[in-house]
């Protein structure tokens, strides 16, 4: 049964001390400051394109590295789903963080070190709900988050976290460095940090989506592609370096690494974001109709950010190009919109509604990097094409990517706010109204 949002808000218990006046104020808060702008379609979205990059040389390098014996290669995520690794904290360990509790909010947190570190910041969220229609992977509920390194100015390092979460008291996870393999000689393979100095790639890991065995990572003008059937365990986790030297493999103190197999791009790092070549600073999967990836572009000070749908090919789980194979050729966008929401950090769709994480209407002109305003809530907005967005719920500060889980009908999100103990980071989910 459809329950209007106002009725669901009225279900919040009054025992917490809300007066009628405060309740009316909360209802007023949940409307946009200006609702004149709408989620408008982009005419002729097919003019926006991505070009397939070099897959062949990376496959050669992956084969050479695995043949060298310097890494232990696994063809699945099974070693990461055995209960070992970091111990996360179940549920929302920092309270509800402004989320509307009538939407059955839930989630999990990182351990204390990852919750408060200033070296890494979470960006993207995906899960087995994207990877498989039944929502499970190896009969488990698995989530993957992307992080970028903050201790270098060049976005050199990126990693993912594979999380084994059973929806209860059990949450463990492992960090995996993202690396770019290359042929060092005609017969010898090696690898480097995905955003290494001199590389055309950015290691910011803005967004992430899991589709079959593929993992797509958006970083500015690139969508990088990884294959979860090539998981590498490093022989030495005590080195700061990334790559193979002296017969040992290392990935900046990480136990694990995942090599890029190829990419699609509309520019290199540092290129401007344009209408024809938009930047891709979030990523989510859309399984309604023909499968596709949804990207959005961050624009802090204004609305009008492009929301673009790129087609996927279910047969080989790659983006669908006009080439002989999907390892080559051009991808043409199949749909696009412009959202009036300011500061969009993430976008996802359930096939009817679009959801956006962005600044709340009354904070639209804030600078999220300003320490004086960094703890203000972010908002999740929702809209149908042609309609004005409305605030679905307030949430934790600096919400990043969103991910829709069709198997459960829940919306997932992640935030990156950096704060000293006890921290404010979480991965959360909620059940929006029909």
């Amino acid at each position: 049964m459809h329950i209007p949002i106002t009725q669901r808000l009225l279900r919040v218990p009054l025992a917490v001390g809300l007066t009628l006046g405060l309740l009316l104020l909360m209802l007023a808060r949940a409307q946009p400051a200006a609702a004149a702008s709408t989620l408008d379609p982009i005419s002729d979205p097919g003019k926006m394109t991505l070009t397939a990059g070099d897959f062949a040389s990376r496959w050669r390098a992956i084969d050479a590295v695995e043949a060298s014996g310097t890494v232990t290669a696994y063809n699945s995520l099974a070693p990461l789903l055995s209960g070992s690794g970091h111990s996360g904290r179940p549920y929302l360990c920092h309270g509800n963080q402004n989320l509307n509790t009538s939407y059955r909010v839930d989630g999990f947190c990182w351990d204390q070190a990852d919750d408060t570190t200033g070296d890494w910041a979470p960006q993207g969220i995906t899960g087995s709900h994207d990877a498989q229609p039944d929502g499970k992977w190896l009969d488990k509920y698995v989530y993957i988050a992307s992080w970028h390194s903050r201790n270098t100015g060049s976005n050199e390092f990126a990693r993912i976290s594979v999380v084994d979460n059973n929806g209860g008291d059990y949450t463990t996870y492992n960090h995996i460095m993202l690396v770019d393999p290359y042929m060092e000689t005609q017969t010898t393979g090696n690898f480097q940090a995905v955003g290494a100095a001199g590389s055309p790639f950015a290691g910011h890991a803005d967004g992430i989506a899991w589709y079959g065995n593929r993992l797509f990572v958006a970083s500015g003008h690139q969508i990088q592609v990884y294959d979860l059937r090539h998981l590498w365990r490093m022989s030495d986790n005590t080195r700061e370096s990334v790559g193979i030297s002296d017969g040992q493999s290392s990935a900046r103190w990480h136990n694990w690494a995942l090599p890029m197999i190829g990419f699609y791009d509309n520019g290199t790092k540092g290129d401007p974001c344009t209408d024809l070549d938009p930047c891709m600073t979030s990523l989510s999967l859309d399984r309604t109709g023909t499968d596709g990836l949804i990207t959005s572009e961050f624009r802090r000070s204004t609305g009008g950010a492009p929301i673009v749908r790129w087609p996927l090919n279910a047969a080989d789980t790659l983006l669908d190009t006009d080439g002989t194979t999907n390892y080559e050729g051009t991808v043409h966008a199949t749909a696009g919109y412009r959202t009036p929401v300011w500061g969009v950090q993430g976008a996802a769709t359930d096939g009817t509604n679009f959801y956006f994480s962005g600044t709340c209407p009354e904070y639209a002109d804030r600078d999220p990097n300003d320490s004086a305003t960094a703890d203000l809530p972010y908002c999740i907005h929702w809209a149908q094409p042609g309609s004005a967005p409305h605030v679905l719920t307030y949430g934790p500060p600096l919400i990043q990517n969103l991910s829709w889980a069709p198997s459960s009908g829940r919306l997932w999100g992640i935030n990156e706010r950096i704060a000293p103990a006890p921290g404010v980071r979480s991965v959360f989910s909620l059940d929006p109204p029909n």
Side-chain angles (χ1 to χ4, degrees):
M1 179 179 68
H2 175 71
I3 301 174
I5 184 170
T6 52
Q7 292 184 27
R8 298 193 66 153
L9 284 167
L10 287 169
R11 289 184 174 186
V12 179
L14 295 179
V16 297
L18 285 173
T19 65
L20 179 60
L22 287 176
L23 180 59
L24 292 173
L25 176 62
M26 182 179 72
L27 290 172
R29 263 182 98 192
Q31 303 302 319
S37 298
T38 58
L39 181 62
D40 295 326
I42 293 174
S43 61
D44 201 359
K47 290 183 178 179
M48 294 181 287
T49 62
L50 300 172
T51 302
D54 187 356
F55 283 80
S57 69
R58 285 178 173 81
W59 279 120
R60 287 181 57 220
I62 289 170
D63 290 342
V65 169
E66 293 181 352
S68 72
T70 55
V71 303
T72 303
Y74 296 86
N75 63 2
S76 79
L77 292 179
L80 306 181
L81 305 177
S82 61
S84 61
H86 298 263
S87 295
R89 291 169 286 178
Y91 313 115
L92 294 177
C93 65
H94 300 305
N96 294 326
Q97 293 187 299
N98 306 305
L99 293 164
N100 186 335
T101 55
S102 70
Y103 298 151
R104 299 192 301 133
V105 297
D106 201 353
F108 59 87
C109 295
W110 312 107
D111 68 16
Q112 184 67 15
D114 288 326
D115 197 357
T116 59
T117 180
D119 293 338
W120 294 91
Q123 295 292 288
I125 185 68
T126 185
S128 51
H129 58 257
D130 281 338
Q132 297 284 2
D134 67 0
K136 292 185 178 181
W137 192 262
L138 299 178
D139 204 33
K140 290 176 174 283
Y141 293 104
V142 184
Y143 304 93
I144 301 181
S146 60
W147 305 63
H148 77 90
S149 173
R150 299 184 70 254
N151 57 11
T152 60
S154 60
N155 289 319
E156 183 175 356
F157 305 106
R159 73 182 186 189
I160 60 171
S161 300
V162 175
V163 183
D164 181 2
N165 177 268
N166 70 348
D169 296 329
Y170 178 82
T171 300
T172 62
Y173 62 93
N174 286 269
H175 297 310
I176 300 96
M177 180 69 73
L178 298 180
V179 298
D180 189 12
Y182 63 94
M183 292 301 296
E184 195 167 42
T185 70
Q186 289 294 319
T187 58
T188 305
N190 207 329
F191 59 91
Q192 61 185 355
V194 71
S199 167
F201 304 108
H204 199 271
D206 295 290
I208 191 169
W210 184 2
Y211 187 58
N213 284 301
R214 314 291 191 187
L215 198 65
F216 297 93
V217 178
S219 285
H221 282 293
Q222 300 99 34
I223 296 181
Q224 302 158 6
V225 189
Y226 299 82
D227 193 318
L228 298 175
R229 293 168 295 188
H230 292 271
L231 175 67
W232 293 346
R233 188 174 183 91
M234 300 293 97
S235 58
D236 188 347
N237 65 0
T238 66
R239 298 185 186 187
E240 183 178 4
S241 60
V242 178
I244 299 170
S245 63
D246 302 324
Q248 298 290 313
S249 59
S250 59
R252 195 173 173 81
W253 305 301
H254 286 65
N255 288 320
W256 302 93
L258 188 70
M260 185 195 308
I261 66 167
F263 63 93
Y264 303 90
D265 71 359
N266 60 12
T268 59
K269 62 182 179 183
D271 286 353
C273 308
T274 68
D275 285 346
L276 284 181
D277 297 318
C279 292
M280 296 167 286
T281 52
S282 82
L283 194 61
S284 64
L285 182 69
D286 179 13
R287 281 191 177 273
T288 59
T290 302
D291 298 340
L293 294 178
I294 303 294
T295 63
S296 66
E297 179 186 300
F298 174 74
R299 294 183 180 181
R300 187 187 73 79
S301 59
T302 61
I307 311 300
V308 185
R309 194 179 198 278
W310 306 96
L312 287 163
N313 187 304
D316 60 12
T317 58
L318 292 169
L319 283 169
D320 199 17
T321 75
D322 58 10
T324 304
T325 73
N326 290 317
Y327 296 105
E328 58 188 359
T330 301
V331 186
H332 295 264
T334 56
Y337 303 90
R338 293 200 181 277
T339 175
V341 174
W342 284 30
V344 170
Q345 300 269 25
T349 183
D350 60 13
T352 300
N353 304 293
F354 278 86
Y355 302 91
F356 306 104
S357 57
T359 54
C360 300
E362 63 268 46
Y363 309 133
D365 59 350
R366 76 174 185 173
D367 181 357
N369 296 313
D370 184 346
S371 60
T373 60
D375 284 323
L376 292 174
Y378 245 49
C379 279
I380 297 176
H381 311 249
W382 64 338
Q384 294 182 10
S387 300
H390 292 267
V391 172
L392 176 68
T393 180
Y394 287 68
L398 294 177
I399 299 173
Q400 297 294 297
N401 278 220
L402 301 173
S403 178
W404 176 256
S407 54
S408 63
R410 294 182 68 82
L411 182 70
W412 285 83
I414 189 170
N415 78 309
E416 72 166 344
R417 172 73 174 111
I418 302 158
V424 293
R425 289 173 173 165
S426 64
V427 177
F428 62 88
S429 70
L430 54 89
D431 178 16
N434 293 329

